[in-house]
Amino acid sequence: MRRILAVLLENEPGSLSRIVGLFSQRAFNIESLTVAPTEDQSLSRITIATRGDDKVLEQIVKQVNKLIDVIKITDLTERSHVERELLLLKVLAMNDKSRTEVKRITDIFRGSIVDIGKQVYTIELTGDAEKLNAFVNTLANETEIIESVRSGCVGIARGEKALRL
């Protein structure tokens, strides 16, 4: 089962490596990892997307929660939440037909062309993983994908519930 964990921790050197180390010790794969300071610069928020059974994940959550730098951890997949990824994609747009098709597909997926070169367009798109995968597959049928980069999953609980002190 896919899980999204949100971790609030002190913004200190080594904090991230200790959390990642727990996953590594259990031979657990991290699908995506995002980290950034919060509105309080002394704190960071980490979002980890992973897959695994409930029992092993429960143990990892308990062990992460015991780390001295960790203030709070929550499993976003246990409640209603919003998740997004950012995709930047460079595609070949050599002629009018391919440019038109790239623009049309980008508009359908509510993306933006953020840079235009002589033969290359750079596209920005946000959404959940399924949307981004569908976009890449659709575009790959129409033109050559030169390069892609994805941010990884970020998520936040819906409603009043918040991960904070």
Side-chain angles (χ1 to χ4, degrees):
M1 180 177 166
R2 183 167 181 264
R3 304 298 278 266
I4 300 170
L5 304 175
V7 184
L8 187 65
L9 71 159
E10 293 177 18
N11 191 4
E12 295 291 332
S15 298
L16 175 62
S17 65
R18 284 186 281 281
I19 289 173
V20 172
L22 285 177
F23 279 79
S24 177
Q25 289 168 1
R26 295 256 184 197
F28 227 56
N29 188 40
I30 295 175
E31 286 185 358
S32 75
L33 177 73
T34 57
V35 60
T38 65
E39 64 284 350
D40 177 348
Q41 293 297 310
S42 69
L43 301 176
S44 286
R45 181 180 172 123
I46 298 174
T47 306
I48 301 169
T50 189
R51 291 189 185 277
D53 64 37
D54 291 341
K55 187 176 179 182
V56 174
L57 248 158
E58 183 181 330
Q59 287 303 309
I60 287 177
V61 168
K62 286 179 181 178
Q63 289 179 1
V64 167
N65 211 17
K66 289 180 183 178
L67 293 173
I68 196 158
D69 298 338
V70 172
I71 296 165
K72 199 172 193 181
I73 182 170
T74 187
D75 185 347
L76 292 176
T77 47
E78 292 180 343
R79 62 175 60 109
S80 181
H81 67 280
V82 177
E83 65 181 84
R84 295 289 184 267
E85 286 186 43
L86 169 67
L87 168 70
L88 295 174
L89 195 65
K90 280 187 186 179
V91 298
L92 203 55
M94 292 182 63
N95 55 44
D96 287 341
K97 182 182 179 216
S98 64
R99 284 190 210 63
T100 301
E101 196 58 20
V102 167
K103 175 75 172 120
R104 185 184 74 77
I105 293 168
T106 301
D107 288 345
I108 288 169
F109 281 88
R110 290 188 231 137
S112 300
I113 297 173
V114 295
D115 187 45
I116 297 174
K118 287 183 181 179
Q119 297 182 341
V120 175
Y121 281 6
T122 301
I123 302 164
E124 172 186 83
L125 182 70
T126 59
D128 61 23
E130 289 178 11
K131 177 182 176 180
L132 300 187
N133 292 338
F135 177 71
V136 169
N137 292 335
T138 302
L139 217 50
N141 291 329
E142 298 299 326
T143 189
E144 181 181 343
I145 296 174
I146 299 168
E147 184 179 7
S148 71
V149 62
R150 288 171 83 152
S151 67
C153 176
V154 293
I156 193 166
R158 290 186 183 269
E160 315 266 325
K161 194 85 172 170
L163 184 65
R164 62 179 170 194
L165 288 173

